[in-house]
Amino acid sequence: MLKWLKFYLNRLQSPGYILKGECKKCGRCCRNIVFFAYGNPIKDIKLFEELKIKNKRMNLFYPSGKNENGEILFTCKSLLPDNCCKYYFFRSLYCRRYPLVKSLSTGKYLNPPEECGYRVVPKKPFKDYI
Ligand code: SF4
Ligand code: SF4
């Protein structure tokens, strides 16, 4: 009985994930940004120019390369040469939360790239849910 109660209590509570580790100040997350438009990653610079007119915040970024999938990689203009953020205390909620972000397609937390000093880990060890 107690086992079932624990099981359902755990189901009611979100498992919860946290970040472990620390920022290595590599700046990767501020210069390898892929933006989505109409459900797809931006691959066409013309589309980016159009979006800049509709959403002024897009002007905070500039295209700085492409990945192996042909998706444009954007760099934030607030990134300083020492990989620190120029507006650290005023950065967006998304920046504050990164890299604790969920996949748009699966809704599951994504693990940051290998180079990142953080890992996304469950708040409690697996055995505590059993
Ligand atoms: S990729 Fe990770 S380690 Fe590098 S700057 Fe971003 S948060 Fe920090
Ligand atoms: S606002 Fe700062 S933390 Fe956010 S992407 Fe730009 S440089 Fe990075």
Side-chain angles (χ1 to χ4, degrees):
M1 182 70 182
L2 191 69
K3 199 169 83 176
W4 285 105
L5 192 65
K6 200 173 170 187
F7 173 74
Y8 281 107
L9 272 175
N10 279 328
R11 278 197 67 172
L12 283 174
Q13 292 171 338
S14 161
Y17 286 84
I18 52 164
L19 288 176
K20 217 170 178 182
E22 61 181 39
C23 182
K24 294 195 262 180
K25 291 191 180 156
C26 64
R28 194 184 187 284
C29 54
C30 308
R31 65 165 69 90
N32 285 289
I33 304 163
V34 174
F35 284 122
F36 280 68
Y38 311 113
N40 294 306
I42 300 178
K43 293 184 175 179
D44 183 357
I45 201 70
K46 277 189 211 149
L47 177 58
F48 175 60
E49 294 301 328
E50 283 170 30
L51 291 170
K52 277 204 297 189
I53 298 165
K54 289 182 195 159
N55 183 353
K56 298 284 176 220
R57 280 191 292 182
M58 294 301 265
N59 287 293
L60 299 171
F61 303 89
Y62 65 91
S64 52
K66 274 195 176 186
N67 65 15
E68 60 283 1
N69 300 322
E71 296 155 0
I72 300 175
L73 299 174
F74 293 92
T75 296
C76 178
K77 290 179 184 171
S78 304
L79 184 67
L80 295 169
D82 63 356
N83 289 333
C84 288
C85 176
K86 193 174 171 183
Y87 300 111
Y88 186 74
F89 290 103
F90 301 105
R91 70 198 190 286
S92 71
L93 286 176
Y94 185 88
C95 296
R96 286 169 195 275
R97 203 168 159 74
Y98 187 87
L100 196 62
V101 288
K102 287 181 178 175
S103 157
L104 287 175
S105 50
T106 64
K108 290 183 179 165
Y109 283 106
L110 295 163
N111 240 329
E114 283 292 312
E115 300 87 342
C116 181
Y118 289 113
R119 292 331 298 151
V120 176
V121 295
K123 216 185 270 179
K124 291 197 286 184
F126 180 68
K127 65 177 175 54
D128 289 1
Y129 289 99
I130 303 168

